[in-house]
């Protein structure tokens, strides 16, 4: 089965940047969509961004203009570039791959933004 491993999380001050990576075992770029979601303390999980098989992207209003989702097919890796980070972005971030038969999730990486 496909496995996903997130990395790149950490502690950053407001206004700073981080780039999250999601490394996949086996190809995931035949997936219908690849995405990032997050769960903040005391909040429901929310979809942050996704990219389709055709390369189209979509973002939550809360991150639009600040976050960029991308993929590198040769490296079989999904990225989330996060700029102008805010304390409200503090959460555990998860990558996912959506196939016709189901969805695969990573374990998550912690992002903490201090004010």
């Amino acid at each position: 089965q496909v496995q996903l491993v997130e990395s790149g999380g950490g502690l950053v001050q407001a206004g700073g940047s981080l780039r999250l990576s999601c490394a996949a075992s086996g190809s995931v770029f035949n997936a219908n969509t690849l995405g990032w979601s997050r769960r903040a303390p005391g909040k429901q999980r929310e979809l942050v961004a996704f990219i389709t098989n055709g390369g189209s992207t979509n973002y939550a209003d809360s991150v639009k203009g600040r976050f960029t989702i991308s993929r590198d097919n040769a490296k079989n890796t999904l990225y989330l570039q996060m700029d102008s980070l805010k304390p409200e972005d503090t959460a555990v971030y998860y990558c996912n791959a959506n196939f016709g038969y189901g969805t695969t999730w990573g374990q998550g990486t912690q992002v903490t933004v201090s004010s």
Side-chain angles (χ1 to χ4, degrees), residues 4-114:
L4 305 175
V5 180
E6 301 96 335
S7 63
L11 175 64
V12 65
Q13 293 185 14
S17 298
L18 286 173
R19 188 178 74 162
L20 306 183
S21 299
C22 175
S25 62
S27 178
V28 297
F29 296 107
N30 62 336
N32 294 331
T33 64
L34 302 171
W36 290 93
S37 64
R38 67 186 182 186
R39 187 173 183 87
K43 303 292 184 180
Q44 295 181 319
R45 177 177 289 184
E46 65 173 338
L47 179 65
V48 174
F50 69 85
I51 184 168
T52 70
N53 186 51
S56 298
T57 58
N58 195 274
Y59 300 90
D61 288 341
S62 60
V63 306
K64 192 173 298 182
R66 299 187 298 118
F67 290 12
T68 304
I69 187 171
S70 62
R71 66 186 185 186
D72 187 326
N73 289 358
K75 296 180 179 179
N76 210 29
T77 301
L78 179 72
Y79 301 99
L80 184 68
Q81 177 67 43
M82 306 185 296
D83 298 320
S84 301
L85 283 162
K86 304 175 180 179
E88 66 189 81
D89 295 318
T90 295
V92 178
Y93 285 72
Y94 304 87
C95 64
N96 63 81
N98 302 293
F99 302 89
Y101 56 82
T103 301
T104 299
W105 294 86
Q107 293 184 349
T109 185
Q110 176 71 49
V111 172
T112 303
V113 184
S114 61

